[in-house]
Amino acid sequence: MKKIITLLLVFGFLVSCSKEDTTETTINIPANIKLANQKNTGSSSNDLLSDVTFKSMVIELVYVEGFEPTQGSINNFVNFLNNRTFKPNGITVEKRAIASPGNSPYTNQEIIDIEDANRTKYNTESQIAVWAFFANGESASNTNSGVVLGTAYRNTSFVIYQETIQDLSNSAFEPNRTVLETTVITHEFGHILGLTNLGAAMVVNHEDTEHAKHCNVESCLMYWAAESGSGLDNLIGANSAPQLDAQCIADLQANGGK
């Protein structure tokens, strides 16, 4: 699964953010409706990038109380989406808090279980839905040599280990929190968009031979170090996260994106 670090800035249009009270409710949605949002990472690349089937996108952003991402990071994420996808009817963010699941450190299966119990937004005829969860703990996949900051684990689902990000940002000799959050969010969503060689075919081969599904350009958002924790030093003092390089952008454009 995935760790994270490095990218972006600005503000997106057609954004609607709402914040609701903390909830803890199991959502009863027919299994056949859920199936379209339970596929492999990268498999919905074209649906997310183009407007052939889906004219709009809704981001269901759910966080554990006390672990909300900054508004700047949310704005940067939507700006990233507007710059790379065709959604003429807009991109909407629906934000809410839930009570702590109390399972930290979280295994991959526990993250999936949290989504299945709390997700309310699924694809409709013309709108594609994305689940973004900000956890109040660390990943069970952390090691002594690296930490996981985020994971893209389904075609429209990703988790951000917000507690770890908070521990690694906003202090002396640490990255700005919004910059780090933006880097992690957009890197993971880059995988959901099919990068690198993960659903969006490569126009030119630029996959890192030693780090599969990552770009081999060191300055690119999709470079492997951006998700391993080893790229933190590059973010110290930075006002924005790294951007996709020309090869990654070409891959997205060839698969229906901007």
Side-chain angles (χ1 to χ4, degrees):
M1 309 309 279
K2 312 220 187 286
K3 310 168 191 174
I4 258 204
I5 306 182
T6 336
L7 184 75
L8 208 1
L9 186 60
V10 176
F11 183 75
F13 57 87
L14 291 172
V15 184
S16 173
C17 294
S18 62
K19 182 176 179 181
E20 302 175 5
D21 294 335
T22 300
T23 59
E24 189 174 6
T25 305
T26 299
I27 308 302
N28 295 316
I29 294 174
N32 63 312
I33 299 296
K34 296 181 178 182
L35 288 177
N37 296 94
Q38 296 179 342
K39 298 179 180 180
N40 293 333
T41 306
S43 62
S44 292
S45 173
N46 179 260
D47 285 338
L48 288 158
L49 290 166
S50 76
D51 62 355
V52 173
T53 301
F54 299 105
K55 310 300 182 184
S56 64
M57 185 188 306
V58 58
I59 312 296
E60 185 173 10
L61 193 158
V62 175
Y63 61 93
V64 176
E65 191 69 54
F67 294 87
E68 181 179 0
T70 68
Q71 187 59 48
S73 297
I74 297 172
N75 294 345
N76 291 345
F77 179 33
V78 176
N79 185 68
F80 174 81
L81 294 175
N82 279 320
N83 284 338
R84 299 293 158 225
T85 70
F86 288 100
K87 296 299 171 216
N89 292 343
I91 296 171
T92 301
V93 177
E94 296 193 8
K95 182 173 62 172
R96 76 176 191 277
I98 62 172
S100 172
N103 295 332
S104 180
Y106 293 101
T107 65
N108 295 330
Q109 186 57 53
E110 286 170 335
I111 292 298
I112 290 172
D113 291 344
I114 291 168
E115 175 185 359
D116 290 345
N118 292 278
R119 182 167 181 163
T120 66
K121 301 295 182 181
Y122 292 88
N123 297 352
T124 64
E125 184 176 344
S126 62
Q127 183 177 76
I128 193 164
V130 171
W131 165 266
F133 178 57
F134 290 75
N136 64 324
E138 63 182 26
S139 168
S141 298
N142 286 356
T143 67
N144 291 332
S145 59
V147 296
V148 177
L149 301 185
T151 301
Y153 59 92
R154 278 176 172 168
N155 59 323
T156 61
S157 306
F158 67 98
V159 57
I160 302 299
Y161 292 100
Q162 185 69 6
E163 181 178 82
T164 303
I165 287 180
Q166 290 180 358
D167 288 344
L168 294 174
S169 60
N170 274 11
S171 294
F173 307 110
E174 290 182 341
N176 171 272
R177 183 159 300 156
T178 294
V179 172
L180 181 54
E181 286 175 352
T182 302
T183 296
V184 177
I185 294 167
T186 52
H187 178 101
E188 291 308 330
F189 207 80
H191 287 306
I192 288 176
L193 290 178
L195 299 172
T196 302
N197 197 24
L198 189 64
M202 294 184 293
V203 176
V204 176
N205 188 356
H206 60 106
E207 183 177 7
D208 192 328
T209 56
E210 296 183 4
H211 303 92
K213 311 309 176 186
H214 289 92
C215 182
N216 60 12
V217 176
E218 188 171 351
S219 60
C220 180
L221 170 66
M222 300 310 297
Y223 188 65
W224 71 271
E227 67 174 21
S228 69
S230 61
L232 278 175
D233 289 347
N234 295 331
L235 294 180
I236 296 174
N239 295 318
S240 62
Q243 309 214 8
L244 293 173
D245 81 312
Q247 295 174 110
C248 282
I249 292 175
D251 294 347
L252 299 184
Q253 291 173 338
N255 200 34
K258 296 179 181 178

